[in-house]
Amino acid sequence: MVSQEIRDAALRYSETKCFMRDGQKYEIKVKISFDDDCNNKYFDFSVTGEIVRITKNGRRIDDMCGCIHDEILRYFPQFASFVEMHCRNREGMSMHPFANGFYYLTKGNTKAVMEDWWITEEDGEKAVRLFKAVDQEEFTYLLYKLGFTERAKVKAELAIQELEDLTGKTWVNPYTPEEERLYKMPEGLFEKIEQRLSEGYYTEEAIAQRAAEEKERKFNEARQKIIEEARTQTEKVRVKRDIMLFILDAGLPIDNVIYYDHVKRVVFNWQDASYRSHITWEDLDKLMAKSDAKYHIPAYTVFTLEEAYKQKIDRGMVIMGDGFESCWTGEPLPYPHNSHSPKRQIHQDKK
């Protein structure tokens, strides 16, 4: 919640004007503010407007509202300096000025950068140098070094002064330097870029070399990704193959079984069709008598029936892995398994 002190520090001004359009009477109201209503720990400008249509019988009908800057400039051209400051802080910076500015630059949108920093043809070589920035760090450095941030700050200070004149109130920053959130050059960035410049980091040759290295890195990364994806898919196919061979060699049918690799569940009777094979828990016990060592089935793969899988009951035969043989999990078991190899591990969930 915004404190009363922050509200009291705000500068707000509004003005209303009537006009005629297509035989209709309208009223436009412009609202200019410099405040921190969002409680973001910094003050910024806002310029919005409201237009209502007034009927012959005096009825007022909402026509448009919000950031209707074209309409505001048409009827209040004297407020152009405030419109260009919309959503900018007391240093004239818009939201994420360095990141957004360099993003526009990478997309070839120099017009947006020029508008954001009031760059004109008179800036000449300074603008050319800024537009050639290789990375966001250099872009930020150049904005400070070439005076563009100072220009924005001066414009913001003039706008604050103009709003003070309109409101008859002097703005006093309620925040301490430690509290206030302003966009600042990262600590050590100036020295870092200066060193890079002295070392030729931003020369055309160095840029070309880094570009070539980055291209090669991306190529190798893409190539490795293809290899890894193929390896993963191959492993999935191998596992499915070994599971099906394990089942088939144990004497069980494979026409009604499916392997869900995401949960490592082999589910029998997953289709209800009468022409498909259906097995019982006793039939599933045949897998216990079959060694799984040569099939390389992932540890903790569970062989179960659809009735248990559908109800999310953890019941079935488990491939233990890690040198252990398969075991049963869940209750009740089909029947005692003491007749099997003593290496078999019989596991039952505790009641």
Side-chain angles (χ1 to χ4, degrees):
M1 182 179 293
V2 181
S3 68
Q4 190 61 46
E5 180 186 8
I6 304 302
R7 291 196 187 95
D8 292 341
L11 300 177
R12 293 189 176 88
Y13 177 80
S14 64
E15 190 171 324
T16 304
K17 181 180 294 186
C18 292
F19 64 92
M20 298 293 294
R21 181 185 294 172
D22 299 328
Q24 291 284 329
K25 184 179 180 180
Y26 292 85
E27 181 181 278
I28 179 172
K29 181 179 182 179
V30 60
K31 294 186 289 185
I32 305 168
S33 66
F34 182 62
D35 56 35
D36 185 20
D37 281 355
C38 294
N39 201 24
N40 288 331
K41 294 295 186 292
Y42 72 91
F43 275 58
D44 59 1
F45 289 90
S46 173
V47 182
T48 59
E50 300 172 356
I51 296 180
V52 296
R53 179 165 57 88
I54 304 174
T55 64
K56 293 181 179 180
N57 62 4
R59 184 183 176 191
R60 300 171 66 86
I61 302 174
D62 293 335
D63 188 73
M64 64 174 67
C65 63
C67 299
I68 52 175
H69 292 164
D70 289 341
E71 297 294 324
I72 291 172
L73 291 175
R74 176 182 298 180
Y75 298 103
F76 301 97
Q78 70 273 27
F79 296 148
S81 60
F82 295 121
V83 170
E84 67 180 7
M85 294 303 299
H86 181 70
C87 285
R88 294 177 182 266
N89 65 14
R90 71 174 181 85
E91 292 190 330
M93 294 190 188
S94 56
M95 186 177 293
H96 307 302
F98 309 127
N100 287 344
F102 186 69
Y103 173 79
Y104 293 141
L105 207 59
T106 59
K107 299 302 179 181
N109 190 358
T110 54
K111 180 181 178 181
V113 179
M114 294 176 70
E115 292 177 351
D116 228 13
W117 297 97
W118 294 280
I119 298 173
T120 66
E121 293 181 0
E122 295 178 357
D123 290 307
E125 288 300 320
K126 292 195 299 182
V128 172
R129 187 178 177 191
L130 180 67
F131 294 156
K132 288 183 178 180
V134 173
D135 50 41
Q136 186 177 320
E137 289 182 325
E138 185 190 15
F139 179 75
T140 304
Y141 161 82
L142 290 173
L143 285 171
Y144 280 96
K145 180 72 174 179
L146 302 177
F148 293 115
T149 55
E150 184 61 29
R151 174 187 297 175
K153 185 176 181 180
V154 170
K155 283 184 171 290
E157 290 174 348
L158 291 174
I160 293 174
Q161 183 178 342
E162 187 178 350
L163 191 54
E164 287 176 333
D165 293 338
L166 288 172
T167 60
K169 177 181 177 181
T170 301
W171 180 68
V172 178
N173 190 350
Y175 295 124
T176 65
E178 294 74 26
E179 293 175 325
E180 190 175 21
R181 292 175 54 210
L182 292 175
Y183 296 105
K184 300 177 181 179
M185 177 186 284
E187 186 176 352
L189 179 61
F190 194 92
E191 293 78 9
K192 179 180 180 180
I193 301 302
E194 290 285 347
Q195 183 176 351
R196 283 182 173 180
L197 289 170
S198 65
E199 295 173 349
Y201 182 87
Y202 292 113
T203 62
E204 292 184 3
E205 294 78 8
I207 293 172
Q209 181 179 349
R210 288 198 301 276
E213 292 172 352
E214 179 64 12
K215 182 178 180 180
E216 183 179 4
R217 185 193 67 78
K218 289 183 176 180
F219 171 81
N220 291 332
E221 187 179 80
R223 195 172 188 278
Q224 189 61 33
K225 183 179 179 181
I226 293 173
I227 293 173
E228 291 300 326
E229 287 179 349
R231 183 179 297 160
T232 300
Q233 293 302 319
T234 300
E235 178 63 12
K236 286 183 178 181
V237 172
R238 185 205 63 75
V239 169
K240 184 177 180 181
R241 178 202 67 188
D242 282 12
I243 286 174
M244 292 304 172
L245 288 176
F246 177 54
I247 296 171
L248 190 65
D249 291 348
L252 294 177
I254 58 172
D255 65 328
N256 197 11
V257 59
I258 188 171
Y259 173 52
Y260 297 113
D261 57 15
H262 63 294
V263 290
K264 297 204 308 191
R265 292 290 188 275
V266 182
V267 181
F268 290 88
N269 306 339
W270 72 288
Q271 296 186 79
D272 291 333
S274 59
Y275 59 87
R276 299 286 185 182
S277 300
H278 287 72
I279 70 170
T280 65
W281 290 107
E282 287 76 13
D283 293 329
L284 188 61
D285 191 54
K286 291 181 180 180
L287 295 175
M288 288 287 289
K290 185 74 176 176
S291 172
D292 58 87
K294 70 176 183 178
Y295 299 99
H296 303 293
I297 300 172
Y300 308 112
T301 299
V302 177
F303 292 74
T304 187
L305 303 188
E306 174 69 12
E307 61 186 70
Y309 182 74
K310 184 183 297 184
Q311 298 178 40
K312 298 182 179 180
I313 297 175
D314 194 15
R315 182 186 179 193
M317 194 204 82
V318 186
I319 299 296
M320 295 301 293
D322 299 326
F324 297 101
E325 297 190 37
S326 53
C327 71
W328 275 94
T329 181
E331 295 186 81
L333 297 179
Y335 48 83
H337 293 73
N338 296 332
S339 59
H340 289 317
S341 166
K343 291 184 178 179
R344 304 287 185 184
Q345 295 201 5
I346 311 304
H347 169 73
Q348 290 179 294
D349 294 336
K350 295 181 179 180
K351 292 184 180 179

